[in-house]
Amino acid sequence: MAEPKYQRWLTPEGLQLLEGWARDGLSQEQIARKCGCCRKTLVTWVEQHPQIAAALKKGREVVDYEVENAFLKRALGYQYTETRVESGKEEKTVQTQKHMPPDVRAAEFWLSRRRPDRWGSRAQETSSTEDSGCVILPEVKDDA
């Protein structure tokens, strides 16, 4: 009797492939195709085999954290080393310290989601009307 398809994905190599595909950002549909099954079958395997569920979750979490860290780094600005090879009489490697300034849009995006009470669009509207001392009244239509 033939071995069930899911058995291949319970091996260390199979679990590593699943994790890698999830880390690469593949959808469940794409991962299922690579496994040779439909999405519904993959969902069943995830429900029945905790090892498969853990591999997919681990792959996605790693990427999510990497993107989050890169986004925060971009919002705050950072230092990096640029390496280039200069050619002349002798080739030599030159390293230069560079500075990437903070990205205001990235910082605004981050804060509006992490601190919506202070940085969300409604918080800004409220604080700007409170600070000016003005009261905004609803528009009244004159039918006469």
Side-chain angles (χ1 to χ4, degrees):
M1 187 162 118
E3 179 177 280
K5 267 190 184 181
Y6 70 85
Q7 288 292 345
R8 173 171 185 236
W9 305 107
L10 293 174
T11 66
E13 296 81 17
L15 293 169
Q16 191 169 18
L17 276 172
L18 291 171
E19 183 181 327
W21 292 331
R23 187 175 43 251
D24 288 347
L26 271 61
S27 67
Q28 277 190 338
E29 181 74 35
Q30 293 168 320
I31 292 172
R33 249 186 270 127
K34 287 189 171 279
C35 291
C37 66
C38 67
R39 188 178 103 26
K40 188 176 177 182
T41 299
L42 179 63
V43 169
T44 301
W45 293 351
V46 167
E47 291 168 353
Q48 294 176 352
H49 304 284
Q51 308 93 312
I52 292 174
L56 293 172
K57 182 179 178 188
K58 183 178 177 187
R60 285 201 171 84
E61 282 181 353
V62 169
V63 164
D64 290 345
Y65 283 120
E66 286 176 354
V67 171
E68 186 178 320
N69 289 336
F71 192 79
L72 178 60
K73 187 176 174 182
R74 177 75 179 173
L76 298 174
Y78 57 94
Q79 301 288 333
Y80 66 98
T81 303
E82 180 181 85
T83 304
R84 67 180 193 282
V85 177
E86 289 185 352
S87 56
K89 291 180 187 178
E90 293 180 22
E91 271 192 11
K92 69 178 184 177
T93 303
V94 178
Q95 291 188 336
T96 309
Q97 284 292 324
K98 299 271 185 157
H99 174 73
M100 177 62 70
D103 183 325
V104 175
R105 298 276 296 150
E108 179 183 20
F109 183 85
W110 180 275
L111 289 169
S112 70
R113 274 135 184 95
R114 296 286 297 246
R115 296 296 306 266
D117 57 317
R118 296 181 68 184
W119 292 92
S121 59
R122 291 200 183 266
Q124 290 172 350
E125 289 171 13
T126 304
S127 66
S128 65
T129 57
E130 288 173 359
D131 292 343
S132 67
C134 297
V135 176
I136 299 175
L137 299 173
E139 188 176 321
V140 177
K141 293 185 179 182
D142 187 16
D143 292 319

